[in-house]
Amino acid sequence: MHIVVLAKVVPDYEVPAGDFELTNSRAHSRYKRMMGLYDENAIESGVQLKEKYSASLTIVSYGIKADIQVLRKAVAMGGEKLSLVLGGSDDPNVIAANLKMAVEKLEDVDLILAGQQSADMDRGIVHGMLAEMLGFAFIPQVAKIEQEDGQWKVIQNTESGSSELKFGGKAVLSITSVPENVPRIPVVRSIFAAKKKPVVQLPEIEGDAMPVDELSVDIPKMESVCEFLPTEDDPAETAKILLGRLREERLI
Amino acid sequence: MKTLIIEMIEPKRLGELVTVSREFCEQPDMVAVGAGQIPGSFGKAYQVADTVAANLVSDLASLILKEGYEIVLLTASTLGSGIAAPLSVKLSAPVVSEVIGIKPDLVVERPLYGGKAVATYKLNKMPAILTIRRKYFEAADLQGFTDSSPLSIAEKKVALIAEKEEKTEGIPLEDAEVIVSGGRGIGAAENFTMLQDVADLLNGAVGASRGAVDEGWVQPTQQVGQTGKIVAPGVYFAIGISGASQHLAGIANAKCVVAINKDEEANIFKRARFGIVSDYKKIVPVLIETLKEEA
Ligand SMILES: Cc1cc2nc3c(=O)[nH]c(=O)nc-3n(C[C@H](O)[C@H](O)[C@H](O)COP(=O)(O)OP(=O)(O)OC[C@H]3O[C@@H](n4cnc5c(N)ncnc54)[C@H](O)[C@@H]3O)c2cc1C
Ligand SMILES: Nc1ncnc2c1ncn2[C@@H]1O[C@H](COP(=O)(O)O)[C@@H](O)[C@H]1O
């Protein structure tokens, strides 16, 4: 069994809104690059499947050469190899076409896991496009994966609860975060071992860009108007002031 | 423009899409996913019993081509995200997800970088597919019902074995006027009962940050934020929540945020109207007592 996890390296998503700056309509290049948060959940889910079903696990990414050092962390969590397509497009169609090319170079991929959404573009589109390009089924927001009678059984989170789904063919699953797939922290030995694992670098292919023009990217203004309530003396007084203020403004 | 809505039979979600559709047409058509009567007035309505997105994509693509739809609207939801991207590839159509604004001439807005930026796009080709973020458009009042004809599904790729509804006692998060949310700072699952007490006394609902969901203290259905519920209450209590942009993205339309955090530097105070710098365990029990006394 061969499992692929799609992982994207992104600019630091923890930068607070007040410190966020753009250059050329993208996050400022000074921000440190890190693994997407949901992609880490996907890697953790992939590693657990690998351990449970003795599968092999390949990390596939489309990004820049400097991302390799971040992607090695994914390998250290339990991947066997890394396949990186070198490119800098943000277009979902172009990215999906390149990921497809990389996946097709691997043999017999049975299942592809992706993060629910990238931690920069936040769009939740690329994985579903890739699925359709490969002729795989696409299932978003997957919380749990198991094999049963030669089929995959997955739990998909929905707005009101969850669905249990089963399928026999190939699929791309987008992985949501649950307590069971909180990413493991690789031990020092794995980090060293990851440095020796194979990294395949592929030149990008030209994909058709999506017929959409990006007109602008702006940072919305956030006005800070916080009124700090006194807390030194009596918590009961603080509670009374708060409730009074909320009632004044007819909010409760 | 010929517009098609694809949505479950859920009046609020559907109502929001109907509001959006008015930017493009007078009366949209509709594919209702799941069972039940279709509320509202649509030009044509189709209905499909299968609720698994992966099974619908092919036949939806055929319908869109046959009828010549130019705009396809879905909610940014599990169903919507399951359909939108594969459908866009099938139709070679542009897709923009999590749309929060619609401007004339096929210009749409969506947030990126966890809501720290907003991008504006112009759609250059039709059909175009949009998934709409909840709570950014007032839900239209759906009058009457529309009869539907069945949409059949040729290929079932994925089987639905079971569905589980998470029981929510009281008001659903999306509809609550008061939300009391807790984050990783709450420290333990059992401490959420305190937040439930406040919510009960204020006729509200309990929400959470991804931090608290990751800890397993609350159900994922209670997560508020860009990958959780998008909410728009009158008052939002953020207790032990740091105020990451991705969390704030879910409460952009909350009128008043009350933050209780022991770290005065916490980012949540930048979004808050009222701030209390304190260990929540000192304040929340007293708040409960005061509310009880006043009741
Ligand atoms: C693509 C993407 C999507 C995301 N989507 C979401 C989303 O939908 N929703 C979401 O919430 N997050 C989301 N996140 C995660 C987000 O970035 C943060 O990691 C998360 O919101 C942090 O949760 P938290 O504030 O509970 O935890 P922390 O950041 O750990 O904050 C805990 C806070 O509690 C305070 N505290 C501790 N003890 C006490 C006490 N006794 N009394 C008072 N205060 C105390 C601390 O000072 C701190 O501020 C997303 C991230 C990415 C990359
Ligand atoms: N450049 C990329 N390299 C690898 N995986 C990607 C890339 N872009 C997107 N993905 C995968 O697709 C998911 C959804 O991406 P997006 O549509 O950008 O939100 C991400 O969480 C990744 O798992």
Side-chain angles (χ1 to χ4, degrees):
Chain A
M1 186 191 296
H2 188 180
I3 296 167
V4 162
V5 180
L6 307 176
K8 183 184 188 189
V9 179
V10 296
D12 186 354
Y13 53 79
E14 287 177 339
V15 175
D19 302 334
F20 189 69
E21 276 184 78
L22 296 165
T23 36
N24 296 325
S25 296
R26 289 294 176 267
H28 200 285
S29 53
R30 73 166 179 272
Y31 302 129
K32 111 176 153 227
R33 290 182 71 77
M34 58 206 280
M35 186 69 74
L37 187 57
Y38 280 98
D39 294 1
E40 287 192 333
N41 296 120
I43 297 161
E44 177 59 37
S45 299
V47 174
Q48 288 176 15
L49 286 178
K50 170 193 147 157
E51 288 168 348
K52 192 162 171 195
Y53 301 113
S54 310
S56 58
L57 183 68
T58 303
I59 311 295
V60 172
S61 189
Y62 169 90
I64 56 175
K65 204 161 181 164
D67 293 344
I68 292 176
Q69 68 184 80
V70 182
L71 289 160
R72 282 202 201 275
K73 185 186 162 202
V75 178
M77 283 169 70
E80 264 109 52
K81 82 173 178 211
L82 167 65
S83 177
L84 173 67
V85 186
L86 291 166
S89 174
D90 274 328
D91 185 284
N93 239 330
V94 172
I95 298 172
N98 275 286
L99 294 173
K100 172 177 186 263
M101 179 267 292
V103 167
E104 283 175 339
K105 284 200 191 308
L106 302 168
E107 271 161 38
D108 296 334
V109 172
D110 298 285
L111 192 66
I112 300 178
L113 310 184
Q116 176 170 334
Q117 57 176 232
S118 58
D120 52 355
M121 296 294 115
D122 297 336
R123 64 192 152 201
I125 288 289
V126 166
H127 36 35
M129 290 186 137
L130 172 68
E132 189 60 37
M133 289 177 183
L134 288 166
F136 288 20
F138 173 58
I139 306 180
Q141 262 113 282
V142 170
K144 197 173 165 203
I145 312 163
E146 259 172 11
Q147 269 211 317
E148 199 178 84
D149 318 322
Q151 293 206 316
W152 292 107
K153 194 175 92 178
V154 303
I155 303 292
Q156 174 185 57
N157 282 357
T158 63
E159 289 72 31
S160 57
S162 59
S163 301
E164 188 182 317
L165 304 170
K166 214 167 168 182
F167 58 94
K170 299 190 173 195
V172 177
L173 311 179
S174 97
I175 305 296
T176 192
S177 72
V178 282
E180 293 74 24
N181 67 14
V182 169
R184 67 191 64 194
I185 297 163
V187 296
V188 177
R189 189 162 37 86
S190 314
I191 294 170
F192 275 104
K195 290 193 176 140
K196 299 204 186 72
K197 291 195 180 159
V199 178
V200 179
Q201 296 180 49
L202 301 166
E204 75 176 314
I205 53 165
E206 207 181 314
D208 292 331
M210 204 159 79
V212 158
D213 284 337
E214 186 181 288
L215 302 180
S216 64
V217 179
D218 305 291
I219 298 180
K221 280 207 183 62
M222 195 161 91
E223 268 163 52
S224 190
V225 287
C226 187
E227 177 182 339
F228 285 94
L229 304 182
T231 47
E232 302 82 53
D233 319 324
D234 181 10
E237 197 49 37
T238 312
K240 281 214 176 77
I241 296 172
L242 174 65
L243 294 174
R245 306 288 272 121
L246 294 177
R247 288 206 179 96
E248 255 169 48
E249 302 198 13
R250 296 184 183 282
L251 290 163
I252 54 172
Chain B
M1 271 169 277
K2 219 173 156 186
T3 302
L4 180 69
I5 289 174
I6 305 170
E7 182 52 290
M8 305 193 313
I9 299 179
E10 212 270 77
K12 291 227 168 77
R13 276 165 61 156
L14 195 48
E16 289 174 18
L17 293 183
V18 168
T19 299
V20 173
S21 75
R22 291 185 181 143
E23 303 282 338
F24 302 107
C25 70
E26 262 172 38
Q27 196 179 41
D29 288 358
M30 152 95 187
V31 175
V33 180
Q37 259 198 311
I38 303 172
S41 166
F42 297 93
K44 263 191 210 166
Y46 306 86
Q47 192 154 17
V48 56
D50 197 323
T51 56
V52 181
N55 297 336
L56 307 180
V57 173
S58 252
D59 296 283
L60 287 172
S62 308
L63 177 73
I64 290 162
L65 288 179
K66 190 176 101 211
E67 295 288 325
Y69 290 111
E70 295 166 296
I71 301 288
V72 179
L73 300 175
L74 304 108
T75 302
S77 63
T78 304
L79 178 73
S81 64
I83 293 173
L87 187 63
S88 81
V89 170
K90 266 234 144 56
L91 296 170
S92 301
V95 54
V96 180
S97 58
E98 306 273 354
V99 169
I100 59 168
I102 312 259
K103 299 267 166 68
D105 302 323
L106 294 175
V107 172
V108 298
E109 296 172 326
R110 72 175 303 271
L112 29 98
Y113 296 116
K116 291 190 278 271
V118 173
T120 307
Y121 299 103
K122 169 138 177 80
L123 304 161
N124 288 331
K125 196 180 160 204
M126 287 188 283
I129 302 163
L130 304 177
T131 76
I132 309 296
R133 187 171 275 192
R134 289 223 47 202
K135 294 281 168 185
Y136 278 79
F137 299 89
E138 200 73 45
D141 198 9
L142 303 175
Q143 303 282 346
F145 293 93
T146 304
D147 290 334
S148 65
S149 52
L151 181 77
S152 60
I153 292 303
E155 188 197 7
K156 218 178 168 76
K157 289 185 174 174
V158 176
L160 174 66
I161 307 297
E163 276 177 300
K164 196 170 127 199
E165 293 271 314
E166 259 339 305
K167 276 198 291 293
T168 39
E169 279 153 38
I171 308 160
L173 260 183
E174 296 97 315
D175 303 334
E177 269 306 309
V178 175
I179 295 177
V180 185
S181 272
R184 195 170 265 131
I186 296 301
E190 57 271 22
N191 297 344
F192 266 86
T193 51
M194 247 190 261
L195 308 198
Q196 186 69 57
D197 289 345
V198 179
D200 289 346
L201 285 158
L202 290 170
N203 199 19
V206 172
S209 69
R210 178 176 152 159
V213 174
D214 281 355
E215 295 289 348
W217 299 335
V218 286
Q219 291 299 325
T221 47
Q222 282 172 279
Q223 181 175 319
V224 171
Q226 74 178 49
T227 47
K229 296 263 157 66
I230 307 290
V231 296
V235 190
Y236 186 83
F237 287 86
I239 308 179
I241 293 178
S242 59
S245 60
Q246 297 87 358
H247 185 80
L248 301 185
I251 56 168
N253 296 321
K255 280 196 205 85
C256 170
V257 175
V258 177
I260 304 177
N261 197 301
K262 66 178 183 187
D263 174 9
E264 62 180 340
E265 300 287 321
N267 202 50
I268 190 68
F269 290 121
K270 300 221 165 70
R271 172 63 181 84
R273 173 82 182 79
F274 299 110
I276 299 175
V277 181
S278 165
D279 185 333
Y280 82 92
K281 285 184 184 160
K282 291 194 186 134
I283 289 289
V284 177
V286 184
L287 189 64
I288 294 168
E289 281 317 305
T290 314
L291 280 166
K292 279 186 183 156
E293 278 166 24
E294 291 178 359

